[in-house]
Amino acid sequence: MRPIITLTTDFGVSSPYVAQVKAEILCRNPDAAIVDVTHTIGTQNILEGAIVLDDVARRFPAGTLHVAVIDPGVGTDRRIVYVEAGSQRYLSPDNGLLTLVARRTAPSRSIVLTERCFWNADVSNTFHGRDIFAPVAGHLSLGVAAEELGPSIHGIVTLPIPEPQITADQVAGNILLSDSFGNLITNIRHEQLQSLGPLDQLNVTCEGRTILGVGRTYGDKSSAELIALVDSQGRLEIAIVGGNAAQAIASPGASVVVQRGTRDS
Amino acid sequence: MRPIITLTTDFGVSSPYVAQVKAEILCRNPDAAIVDVTHTIGTQNILEGAIVLDDVARRFPAGTLHVAVIDPGVGTDRRIVYVEAGSQRYLSPDNGLLTLVARRTAPSRSIVLTERCFWNADVSNTFHGRDIFAPVAGHLSLGVAAEELGPSIHGIVTLPIPEPQITADQVAGNILLSDSFGNLITNIRHEQLQSLGPLDQLNVTCEGRTILGVGRTYGDKSSAELIALVDSQGRLEIAIVGGNAAQAIASPGASVVVQRGTRDS
Amino acid sequence: MRPIITLTTDFGVSSPYVAQVKAEILCRNPDAAIVDVTHTIGTQNILEGAIVLDDVARRFPAGTLHVAVIDPGVGTDRRIVYVEAGSQRYLSPDNGLLTLVARRTAPSRSIVLTERCFWNADVSNTFHGRDIFAPVAGHLSLGVAAEELGPSIHGIVTLPIPEPQITADQVAGNILLSDSFGNLITNIRHEQLQSLGPLDQLNVTCEGRTILGVGRTYGDKSSAELIALVDSQGRLEIAIVGGNAAQAIASPGASVVVQRGTRDS
């Protein structure tokens, strides 16, 4: 089986920096199958990167290596880590990018990269994606053992990403980010909604607007209507049918409250 | 030979949803060669998707599987179909996306997907690309027979995409869409122009402007000049040399009339 | 080892024209590994393409074939050339795209494409990327000898890209382009700076603003501060920490002067 390496960065769409990373991987292992996750994480937006990695990485075949480079501290003394969690493997700056991955499944191994023999001979100050991450990924895909990369560590840096507050009457969470359609993704999960009652009898309130009922599909309401539904990641999502909720309704960070109610109330 | 699977969606540039689709394919078949056709079809723009699929799919090696997900009806009771037409294979919502593919070459087989054993165990309401299309594509690329996916059907949904009106004196058609350069693509074909007379003696009228002669290349006229030419798909195209005709001249749907004339008239 | 073919074009993000190029390559060689360098070179911006090719191509495994299609002269009598330089191979319109590649390492072989048996049977006037470049790339990746493609030539077209003017006291260069972060890339190289003195004692002046010291990383200054540093390509770069220097400071072509100074002067 071809080794699979994924890339998640904030380099921008169609950035030639991405191709330089791929070149360094392919110089070590021309048979690597490289898959772009996304290169449009907001510049230096570690939270957005953490959410995307958690959504996407665990769906890949076991043993896939996920290279994540959202790295505002490049060139400083921040560490670069290799982490195994669940069935997946990760290379990331140790800046919180793996917060949600590690919250979902505690890492079984974390290593800090120190062995320069696996890096490019010349390491620039501003492009460790090309000069450290890519060469190490290439070596790992060829079977280099992780313990050769550097010493084990016991913890990685995590971000204080909020969890919803759950009471008998409500779940209070937040907008985490907006997707490419302008749909608003919250930190409230399907099973937390279900604990309140039947989904079609819940009210969702955000920025002074209340949506009656959590629906199943965009087709449940008419064009331009505001809708709440459980998205494909199992999270509560707020959207405008055929429209852009991020522009019209709320921004990341905004409060979202779900309460038991009825469509008739 | 590696099985080739192409992806055509409206998920947006660099969307992580695309990577989730690829992950599900690679979990079934790590050797699949996945090629992005485009992910920037206008949101829910089935017509644009139909045109792109017709232009691109038939150029791939015989047996390529084209997965198309422009799917405003996701989660409703719209069908998902597997279609063989010409030498190519398609997975698409049954919403008209295959209109032009099927108009070019009548499908030799159409099957509606019903057998859930080839789908993800959990099927979300909003992301069938990941939960149905991708797993089925993976299974097909491994050699699963199409008839195992569900029952055959006799017709698929088609859109009423207009054909040009042709008389002895003129061809009257429409702008179908604008490409990424802002060039305006019409539904008038090379052979229809040729039936009127020599291309350099035809007049093209759109939104009150008349272009004298259908040219061969952008180099035929000077920068900022309006030009009509036969594009690389064999269709009449209206462009501004070094400029953006979609912003300056006309929008999709606008009428385009070609008449016999002379450069001197 | 799988043959690697890279693509550098101005077709635009997620353009289906790119997929048509890939289809024609895969029809000849389904095992080719195709890597996108970028498709967002500014429309017909040959200089930008030349810079990106020089930065990226030489990092790929020896023998990689780089297909570059920034081609305002498509359909005119401009030539298409196959060039070997360093360990890499190139297909390009003969319009200056290979200027910097050839300036770095003189080509060891240049051939003009004339043998139509390696092209598509029908060659459009506007899309040679699909009808000539891609089929030839496919054939080359299968082992067709370069001399079969056409006759050798002795020189290729080059652009007058300026070199910095170096005196005992200063290096005077220009902004070449801005990257996807809005960082301003100059034509002044690391070794030219070093010849003036210690980097932290150099002053960089551009559009009336003077930056004291050439730094090592973005972390050297605070958010929103203007910074000069040596970028990952070994070139002097002007940036705004967390901001967009291309919008705030200067455009390509602007003059940049580096002089010996001190942080205290």
Side-chain angles (χ1 to χ4, degrees), chain A residues 122-140:
Chain A
D122 293 323
V123 173
S124 68
N125 291 314
T126 55
F127 196 1
H128 288 184
R130 180 192 68 198
D131 295 332
I132 303 178
F133 289 80
V136 169
H139 285 294
L140 283 168

Side-chain angles (χ1 to χ4, degrees), chain C residues 106-118:
Chain C
S108 52
R109 176 142 71 167
S110 302
I111 283 172
V112 56
L113 303 195
T114 58
E115 292 306 309
R116 300 181 66 101
C117 63
F118 299 108

